RNA sequence: GCCCUCGUGGUGAAAUUGGUAGACACAAAGGACUUAAAAUCCUUGCCCUUUUGGGAGUGCCAGUUCGAGUCUGGCCGAGGGCACCA
């Protein structure tokens, strides 16, 4: 028998698909489309196992949809701008472009080795001018629509590298690369007005039926809608301040008012700028603000002003006004009314400064004399000590009633607030999409005219300088627009902007005039299935949803509101971690074991290894497995099979070398079985043995696979394939009808093909069949068995199984039970008090 | 602190959605073939019984039901998200 030569066979089919453009997609209005998209990779150098898992899941789905007759769009591209290229280039004195393109080449070659059904003619790269010129045009459009603006904002500033850092690049208050203490600095930044769409983005979530609830909840929390009211507090004091506006969700607790707290950035702070103590206080606040932990355990501190605030519902009550560290300027109005009895934060503040704590909500199960003393009570109850509000149900009724009263008295008005902040898109970096803006001598904004697009990145620049390299490019910066000398914006766009519309570009990757054509968008969008990691649950997915709404804003260009109809988030690929006695991480190749229990350093049995928990593969922990090596050793089909086999795609999967080997062996077993089948098919004799069995098995298998494909139970599909092998292998021991076997075998190869396409293409070719077969239809006739196993329970306990013809009725079943000696042992037919009969499945007999 | 998700053999996991718990695979132990190894194949897997059998059993405690891994309530544990959001 010929050994299965996976190298040769996989290479052969990959060349075939490439040469014949087997996965090229064309707009065809007569056919139903299916747009399958996986999150595109950052070209960091080589693909990792996470990519293998992500793209295998998408590939199985795409190939399945192709065979069921859909016009499938399955593209791939590169999220090619970003910091790593700039850093790598700086370290190795390279051009970021060269570094990136080299990586793209390597990774593309690797992806091709996986045998993915990608339409490579649609490949895009966000760092190419063909891509980012359209993005610059979008920027100008959004600017004209008023969805882009510039304002001063605080950023994380690395004083050593002279650059802005993203929040995740600040580790324990220090820059991740320089290690310098990060400062809060005010800078002029460009913003996308995403908060304008807060309500729409929230409403849109309701329409996304096929998104994981987890992701929807995360976005919902991120948008953070809250219902309440704004209240004007009358202020008394020496300053020229008459009133302060606050936002609150609990106006009903106004009678528990005890202080008013302001953010240190509140406009009133300008009156205190010369106050030494206030300066010290402000400084203290900025110190505690940096790390998350400091915030969590942070003490509430305040600075008492000489102002007095008046309770709008009880003008005789006057309370002090403080600046406080826990009040944020960019939420609400930067001012909070303090009700210590019913807000924990206010409670802690009141305790510290010995302010009055007045209980105004009594929980339903408490006495009339209930008083808050150990901690605030934010829950439901009845209003007390609140004059004309007494007796109202809190919070639902009381909040609405209080807002009505405030509105009537013109003291406040109903308001809805969102936590979602506008998206700052400026980055002081070279390797990104240039912002198509310039400034004149007076600093006035001048958009770059469309005729001057694209704004190309200058080449051959010196990356060795501190700060943004574009800033020192004078010949690039200084230009003339309409005869006027202007200076270019040197910031580039956040790379999340690039990934916010790439799904549109895949529909029209070659279009020159605009980022896409309407005709193609109308046909292909929305993405029917989007697949990627849950780490993008908020930012990337929210930005993409925003971008679609922003592009369609005012001209209602799109037929669809949401870019991604269904979302699937796959789990991570994990591996055990290893450390030696000196606490150094070791890679799996450096570790060996004789019995699978005790581990030691390879070739050094005396040096013991500490085996750590299985964690997500990462270079820093050295617990990575190189996909290319696995493909070289075991073949792409085996790797695809294994990455799907052990765990449901939504959960983390443990990489196991043993599991990998067993997948490899399985392909070889299938090959041996294939050769056995080829032998059997030479036998033209018509032996009807087992034909019905095989027909039935195949139909039931197809039915199961369909079900499991739709639900992403890919691990169960692999189990179904193993069962199929076990079934067929058993049947092949006997004589078998050749014609019928072939018919069923083709079906079986077809349903295997999304997972192991190289293998099935080869087998189908040997059989003289096309590798792309129509997906088999299920014949309902074969779904039910003539003989069924009925479980017999006595008083709810399983006592036996009876094999009978299907659809047997209850009385006939009881007759059968009477004949069964084993069952009769357990009960006396005359003592049956009640039976529960589930047709073709179960009978529960209750005995007196 | 708040929100979400999940607890099934030594391990990864199945369970037609309320009806035979542990499919399929990994690891382990025993065996067959072989001079031997590799490869391949078979058997076993908690407790009682020599076998036939029987019992317990899906984190823990209650409940609903003829029947609960699945539904309800409470508790315990693990993982993830958010961060003073008024």
């Amino acid at each position: 028998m010929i050994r299965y030569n996976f190298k040769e066979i996989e290479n052969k089919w990959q060349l075939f698909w490439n040469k014949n453009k087997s996965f090229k997609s064309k707009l065809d209005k007569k056919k139903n489309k299916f747009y399958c998209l996986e999150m595109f990779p950052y070209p960091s150098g080589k693909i990792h196992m996470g990519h293998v898992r992500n793209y295998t899941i998408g590939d199985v789905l795409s190939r399945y949809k192709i065979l069921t007759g859909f016009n499938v769009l399955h593209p791939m591209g590169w999220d090619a701008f970003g910091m790593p290229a700039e850093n790598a280039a700086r370290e190795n004195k390279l051009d970021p472009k060269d570094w990136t393109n080299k990586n793209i080449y390597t990774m593309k070659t690797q992806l091709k080795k996986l045998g993915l059904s990608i339409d490579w003619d649609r490949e895009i790269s966000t760092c190419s001018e063909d891509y980012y010129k359209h993005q610059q045009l979008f920027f100008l459009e959004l600017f004209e629509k008023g969805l882009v603006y510039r304002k001063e904002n605080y950023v994380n500033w690395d004083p050593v590298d002279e650059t802005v850092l993203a929040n995740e690049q600040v580790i324990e208050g220090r820059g991740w690369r320089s290690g310098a203490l990060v400062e809060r600095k005010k800078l002029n930044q460009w913003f996308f007005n995403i908060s304008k769409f807060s309500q729409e983005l929230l409403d849109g979530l309701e329409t996304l039926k096929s998104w994981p609830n987890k992701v929807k909840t995360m976005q919902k929390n991120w948008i953070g809608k809250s219902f309440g009211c704004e209240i004007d507090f009358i202020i008394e004091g020496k300053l020229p301040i008459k009133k302060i506006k606050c936002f609150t969700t609990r106006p009903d607790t106004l009678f528990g008012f005890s202080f008013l707290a302001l953010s240190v950035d509140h406009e009133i702070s300008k009156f205190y700028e010369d106050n030494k103590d206030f300066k010290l206080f402000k400084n203290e606040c900025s110190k505690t603000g940096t790390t998350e932990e400091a915030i969590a355990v942070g003490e509430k501190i305040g600075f008492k002003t000489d102002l007095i605030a008046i309770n709008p519902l009880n003008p005789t009550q006057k309370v002090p006004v403080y600046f406080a560290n826990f009040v944020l300027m960019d939420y609400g109005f930067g001012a909070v009314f303090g009700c210590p009895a019913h807000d924990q934060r206010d409670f802690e503040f009141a305790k510290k400064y010995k302010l009055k704590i007045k209980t105004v909500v009594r929980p339903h199960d408490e006495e009339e004399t209930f008083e808050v003393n150990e901690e605030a009570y934010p829950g439901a109850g009845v209003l007390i000590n609140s004059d004309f509000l007494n007796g109202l149900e809190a919070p639902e009724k009381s909040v609405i009633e209080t807002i009505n009263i405030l509105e009537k008295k013109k003291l406040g008005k109903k308001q809805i607030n969102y936590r979602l902040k506008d998206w700052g898109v400026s980055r002081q970096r070279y390797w990104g999409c240039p912002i198509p803006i310039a400034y004149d001598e007076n600093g006035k904004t001048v958009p770059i005219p469309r005729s001057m697009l694209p704004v190309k990145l200058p080449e051959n620049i010196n990356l060795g300088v501190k700060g943004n390299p574009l800033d020192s490019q004078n010949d690039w910066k200084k230009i003339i627009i309409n005869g006027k000398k202007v200076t270019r914006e040197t910031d580039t766009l956040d790379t999340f902007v690039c990934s916010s519309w790439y799904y549109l570009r895949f529909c029209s990757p070659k279009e020159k005039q605009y980022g896409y054509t309407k005709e193609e968008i109308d046909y292909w969008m929305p993405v029917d299935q989007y697949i990627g990691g849950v780490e993008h649950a908020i930012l990337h997915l929210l930005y993409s949803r925003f971008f679609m709404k922003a592009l369609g804003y005012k001209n209602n260009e799109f037929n669809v509101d949401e870019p991604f109809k269904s979302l699937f988030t796959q789990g991570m690929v994990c591996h055990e971690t290893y450390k030696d006695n000196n606490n150094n991480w070791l890679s799996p190749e450096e570790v060996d074991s004789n019995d699978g229990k005790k581990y030691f350093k390879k070739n050094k049995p005396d040096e013991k290894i500490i085996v750590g928990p299985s964690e997500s593969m990462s270079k820093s922990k050295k617990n990575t497995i190189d996909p290319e090596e696995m493909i070289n050793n075991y073949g792409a089909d085996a790797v695809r099979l294994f990455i799907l086999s052990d765990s449901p795609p939504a959960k983390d999967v443990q990489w196991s070398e043993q599991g990998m080997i067993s997948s490899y062996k399985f392909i070889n077993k299938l090959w041996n079985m294939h050769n056995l089948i080829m032998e059997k098919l030479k036998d033209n004799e018509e032996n009807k043995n087992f034909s019905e069995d095989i027909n039935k098995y195949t139909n039931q298998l197809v039915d199961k696979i369909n079900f499991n494909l739709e639900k992403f139970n890919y691990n169960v599909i692999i189990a179904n394939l193993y069962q199929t092998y076990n079934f067929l292998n058993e049947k092949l021991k006997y004589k078998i009808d050749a014609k019928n076997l072939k018919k069923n075998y083709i079906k079986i190869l077809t349903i295997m093909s999304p997972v192991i396409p190289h293998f099935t293409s080869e087998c189908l070719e040997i059989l003289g069949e096309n590798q792309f077969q129509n997906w088999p239809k299920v014949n309902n006739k074969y779904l039910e068995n003539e003989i069924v196993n009925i479980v017999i329970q006595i008083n709810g306990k399983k006592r036996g199984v009876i094999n009978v013809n299907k659809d047997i009725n209850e009385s006939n079943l009881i007759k059968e039970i009477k004949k069964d000696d084993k069952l009769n042992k357990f009960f006396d037919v005359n003592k049956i008090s009640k039976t529960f009969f589930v047709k073709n499945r179960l009978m529960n007999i209750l005995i007196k």
Side-chain angles (χ1 to χ4, degrees):
Chain A
M1 203 182 293
I2 318 148
R3 225 183 93 248
Y4 183 66
N5 187 339
F6 70 82
K7 272 193 182 145
E8 200 175 282
I9 290 169
E10 292 185 348
N11 190 43
K12 165 184 160 186
W13 290 104
Q14 284 161 17
L15 286 173
F16 178 92
W17 296 326
N18 222 19
K19 200 176 137 211
N20 292 283
K21 295 192 187 290
S22 302
F23 306 109
K24 190 171 175 63
S25 40
K26 274 192 219 124
L27 195 153
D28 181 353
K29 286 181 181 164
K30 280 173 277 176
K31 280 175 93 178
N32 284 328
K33 64 94 185 183
F34 189 89
Y35 185 175
C36 179
L37 183 66
E38 300 105 4
M39 290 179 184
F40 66 165
Y42 177 80
S44 54
K46 294 169 105 183
I47 62 166
H48 54 70
M49 276 303 169
H51 293 129
V52 172
R53 194 170 194 210
N54 192 177
Y55 301 141
T56 303
I57 293 168
D59 200 50
V60 169
L61 184 64
S62 293
R63 286 177 176 270
Y64 164 63
K65 290 290 174 184
I66 290 171
L67 301 184
T68 48
F70 283 93
N71 189 19
V72 170
L73 174 56
H74 187 206
M76 184 59 72
W78 310 96
D79 189 12
F81 272 137
M83 279 287 271
E86 209 166 322
N87 295 336
R90 189 174 286 137
E91 278 158 30
N92 306 316
K93 299 218 164 17
L94 292 166
D95 192 326
K97 193 184 211 168
D98 296 339
W99 184 85
T100 304
N101 287 334
K102 187 177 137 260
N103 290 346
I104 288 176
Y105 175 79
T106 309
M107 289 172 75
K108 185 175 170 182
T109 312
Q110 290 184 313
L111 288 182
K112 287 198 167 184
K113 280 193 171 182
L114 264 177
L116 303 175
S117 61
I118 302 281
D119 178 1
W120 286 106
D121 285 354
R122 290 178 186 260
E123 180 182 2
I124 59 177
S125 170
T126 59
C127 71
S128 80
E129 283 161 35
D130 287 340
Y131 187 85
Y132 71 68
K133 72 178 181 191
H134 302 296
Q135 189 164 311
Q136 291 173 344
L137 186 59
F138 291 151
F139 184 95
L140 292 178
E141 283 182 6
L142 298 198
F143 181 71
E144 284 154 16
K145 288 176 183 176
L147 296 176
V148 179
Y149 65 92
R150 196 165 179 246
K151 77 165 184 196
E152 270 208 322
N153 197 47
Y154 285 106
V155 292
N156 302 310
W157 181 257
D158 185 321
V160 171
D161 284 356
E162 292 190 356
T163 184
V164 166
L165 298 176
N167 286 330
E168 61 271 20
Q169 290 164 343
V170 182
I171 298 154
E172 286 170 4
R174 290 171 182 276
W176 67 286
R177 197 176 48 185
S178 69
L181 271 176
V182 169
E183 295 169 1
R184 253 179 116 215
K185 191 175 171 183
K186 240 180 182 179
L187 268 189
N188 255 315
Q189 304 261 292
W190 284 98
F191 285 85
F192 282 177
N193 192 0
I194 185 170
S195 64
K196 188 187 182 80
F197 297 87
S198 299
Q199 188 61 45
E200 274 183 66
L201 288 166
L202 199 57
D203 293 343
L205 290 174
E206 301 297 321
T207 68
L208 299 172
K209 303 275 184 246
S210 306
W211 275 42
N213 285 328
K214 185 170 71 172
V215 174
K216 286 195 275 189
T217 318
M218 279 163 75
Q219 292 211 356
K220 206 173 157 184
N221 293 341
W222 190 261
I223 295 167
K225 179 179 182 174
S226 54
F227 172 82
C229 97
E230 57 173 76
I231 301 175
D232 285 326
F233 287 84
I234 306 290
I235 301 298
E236 289 177 359
K238 285 172 190 155
L239 296 179
I241 297 290
K242 288 283 173 299
K243 57 184 178 184
I244 292 175
K245 211 183 263 297
C246 292
F247 172 75
T248 175
T249 55
R250 293 298 301 272
D252 56 329
T253 60
L254 256 176
F255 282 92
F257 186 32
S258 149
F259 61 91
L260 200 135
L262 305 173
S263 158
V264 289
D265 298 314
H266 195 276
E267 54 170 357
I268 286 177
S269 69
K270 68 180 180 229
F271 296 109
Y272 293 87
E273 265 165 9
D274 299 331
N275 185 322
K276 231 196 210 163
D277 292 337
F278 180 71
K279 266 189 200 160
L280 281 172
F281 173 73
K282 198 171 168 180
N283 197 27
E284 194 63 28
C285 290
S286 67
K287 264 191 212 160
T288 52
T290 43
T291 72
E292 283 185 6
E293 208 175 334
I295 291 166
V297 295
E299 201 183 355
K300 275 89 196 138
I301 51 172
F303 175 87
K304 195 175 178 185
T305 67
D306 39 15
L307 299 172
I308 297 292
I310 295 170
N311 187 339
L313 293 183
N314 177 16
T316 59
Q317 191 199 5
K318 300 184 179 188
V319 303
V321 176
Y322 283 82
F323 286 103
N325 64 337
F326 61 85
V327 183
L328 306 172
M329 193 55 224
D330 50 9
Y331 185 79
F333 302 100
V336 176
F337 104 76
C339 175
H342 305 288
D343 181 290
Q344 186 57 29
R345 210 184 31 207
D346 295 349
F347 183 86
E348 285 168 35
F349 190 79
K351 277 273 172 190
K352 184 171 169 81
Y353 293 101
K354 303 205 164 47
L355 300 165
K356 208 178 157 196
I357 299 173
K358 183 180 167 194
T359 306
V360 291
V361 179
R362 173 177 61 82
H364 291 293
D365 54 358
E366 287 283 350
E367 299 285 319
E368 205 60 46
T369 53
F370 170 76
E371 258 185 60
V372 163
N373 56 48
E374 290 299 314
E375 55 175 6
Y377 177 72
V382 177
L383 289 194
I384 54 171
N385 303 325
S386 296
D387 199 347
F388 51 87
L389 297 178
N390 280 341
L392 286 173
E393 287 283 323
E396 282 83 16
K397 275 188 185 160
S398 60
V399 169
I400 290 170
E401 186 58 25
T402 312
I403 293 175
N404 285 340
I405 292 170
L406 288 165
E407 282 191 334
K408 256 180 221 158
K409 295 188 173 174
K410 299 220 175 344
L411 296 167
K413 66 178 180 202
K414 189 164 80 184
Q415 211 203 320
I416 287 163
N417 248 343
Y418 301 91
R419 207 157 68 180
L420 181 63
K421 288 172 199 140
D422 278 341
W423 173 17
V425 293
S426 297
R427 297 290 181 269
Q428 292 66 38
R429 285 171 200 146
Y430 165 74
W431 193 233
C433 171
I435 295 175
I437 292 286
Y439 307 98
D440 69 12
E441 285 155 341
N442 306 318
K444 207 179 145 240
T445 301
V446 181
I448 304 289
R450 283 165 161 74
S451 59
M452 292 173 74
L453 294 185
V455 178
K456 294 183 193 176
L457 277 175
E459 292 185 15
N460 304 320
I461 60 129
N462 178 13
L463 290 170
V465 298
K466 275 186 176 179
N468 183 356
L470 287 176
D471 224 12
S472 52
Q473 297 291 306
N474 274 327
D475 48 342
W476 179 81
K477 253 166 76 176
K478 306 284 182 199
I479 54 164
I480 289 169
I481 293 177
N482 297 331
K484 264 166 68 180
K485 278 187 189 169
V486 295
T487 308
R488 283 193 197 280
E489 168 67 67
T490 54
D491 286 353
T492 50
L493 287 171
D494 180 5
T495 56
F496 273 114
V497 178
C498 306
S499 54
S500 291
W501 69 280
Y502 78 113
Y503 51 90
L504 295 174
R505 186 64 183 164
F506 277 136
C507 300
S508 315
K510 301 281 191 311
E511 171 60 29
K512 291 216 160 57
Q513 299 305 311
Y514 199 66
Y516 51 82
T517 71
K518 187 164 183 333
E519 190 192 15
E520 282 166 305
I521 296 298
D522 285 349
Y523 178 72
W524 291 113
M525 287 296 290
V527 172
D528 293 280
Q529 184 65 59
Y530 196 33
I531 306 167
V534 75
E535 65 273 19
H536 294 110
I538 299 173
L539 297 183
H540 162 62
L541 289 166
L542 198 64
Y543 292 157
S544 296
R545 296 181 57 219
F546 156 73
F547 218 83
M548 187 106 188
K549 291 179 197 304
L551 287 176
Y553 182 63
K554 283 188 182 166
N555 51 4
N556 290 324
E557 182 157 6
F558 300 116
N559 296 337
V560 280
D561 299 327
E562 291 287 341
F564 313 122
K565 190 172 152 199
S566 305
L567 173 71
F568 187 86
T569 52
Q570 95 270 4
M572 292 181 295
V573 185
C574 300
H575 196 284
E576 277 179 337
T577 48
Y578 307 105
K579 273 186 179 180
D580 65 14
N581 283 330
N582 303 322
N583 226 22
N584 298 315
W585 297 105
L586 292 173
S587 68
E589 298 98 78
E590 297 172 279
V591 175
D592 210 346
S593 171
N594 289 330
D595 56 2
K597 285 172 191 161
K598 284 177 196 155
Y599 289 80
F600 50 84
K601 228 176 200 172
K602 200 163 248 176
N603 304 326
K604 291 178 185 169
D606 298 335
E607 292 188 40
K608 280 188 190 144
I609 298 292
I610 304 146
V611 180
S614 186
E615 291 182 67
S616 143
M617 286 187 182
S618 79
K619 277 180 195 157
S620 61
K621 288 175 189 144
K622 285 195 168 182
N623 61 339
T624 54
I625 299 288
D626 178 18
E628 195 170 4
E629 202 184 313
M630 290 298 123
I631 294 171
N632 288 339
N633 291 347
Y634 304 110
D637 280 340
V639 170
R640 294 164 63 109
L641 190 69
F642 174 68
I643 202 81
L644 298 176
S645 69
D646 264 14
S647 296
K651 284 176 66 173
D652 288 355
V653 64
Q654 317 291 326
W655 183 269
S656 119
E657 185 84 9
Q658 294 304 329
M660 180 64 251
I661 291 169
S662 95
S663 295
Y664 167 74
K665 286 180 184 169
F666 182 61
I667 304 272
N668 286 303
K669 285 198 228 174
L670 286 178
W671 178 250
N672 293 341
M673 188 175 79
H674 171 79
N675 285 296
L676 187 57
I677 288 174
M678 293 313 290
E679 283 303 310
K680 290 261 174 189
L681 293 184
K682 281 182 195 159
D683 247 343
N684 280 327
E685 69 180 294
E686 297 223 344
N687 186 333
K688 294 284 179 198
N689 283 349
F690 306 125
S691 285
E692 282 293 288
D693 276 8
I694 294 176
N695 288 340
K696 199 180 288 169
Y697 183 88
T698 310
N699 270 279
Q700 292 180 357
L701 175 69
V702 175
D703 193 51
K704 269 193 269 186
I705 300 270
N706 286 345
F707 176 84
N708 288 322
L709 270 167
E710 297 295 339
K711 296 214 158 190
F712 279 104
N713 297 334
Y714 291 0
N715 56 324
V716 187
I717 289 178
I718 307 303
N720 293 154
L721 299 187
Y722 274 96
Q723 278 171 324
T724 304
Y725 168 80
N726 293 340
F727 171 84
L728 274 185
N729 210 33
E730 181 63 29
K731 293 290 171 197
L732 288 170
K733 286 178 184 163
Y734 308 96
K735 272 198 169 176
I736 213 158
D737 179 49
K739 226 172 120 188
N740 192 58
L741 175 65
K742 185 176 177 185
K743 191 183 81 190
N744 281 287
Y745 185 47
I746 291 170
K747 287 186 184 176
I748 288 168
L749 286 172
T750 304
I751 60 172
M752 285 179 169
S753 71
V755 182
I756 45 172
H758 310 86
F759 174 82
T760 56
S761 297
E762 183 69 14
C763 293
L764 283 164
E765 190 189 50
I766 294 168
L767 278 165
E769 303 289 331
N770 189 321
Q771 57 164 317
F772 298 108
Q773 295 282 320
N774 287 332
W775 195 256
K777 294 216 162 44
V778 177
N779 184 345
N780 288 327
K781 168 178 122 183
Y782 290 114
L783 288 187
E784 281 176 30
N785 294 324
E786 281 74 41
I787 304 289
V788 291
N789 298 331
I790 296 188
V791 173
I792 308 301
Q793 296 182 334
I794 291 162
N795 290 335
K797 223 164 224 170
K798 179 189 162 192
R799 291 299 181 187
V801 180
I802 274 190
N803 290 308
V804 286
N805 289 330
K806 76 165 183 184
D807 296 339
I808 188 171
N809 65 23
E810 196 172 343
S811 57
N812 284 335
L813 180 61
I814 290 193
K815 279 181 202 154
E816 291 295 324
I817 290 170
K818 280 180 190 165
K819 285 187 215 156
D820 193 300
D821 290 342
K822 272 188 200 165
L823 284 168
N824 276 305
K825 256 183 14 196
F826 290 101
F827 75 112
D828 180 346
V829 179
N830 301 317
K831 287 189 178 167
I832 294 178
S833 68
K834 200 166 186 184
T835 57
F836 291 85
F837 177 58
V838 184
K839 199 169 143 191
N840 293 334
R841 188 156 288 170
L842 171 140
M843 169 118 110
N844 188 6
I845 301 169
L846 300 190
I847 304 293
K848 276 174 253 185

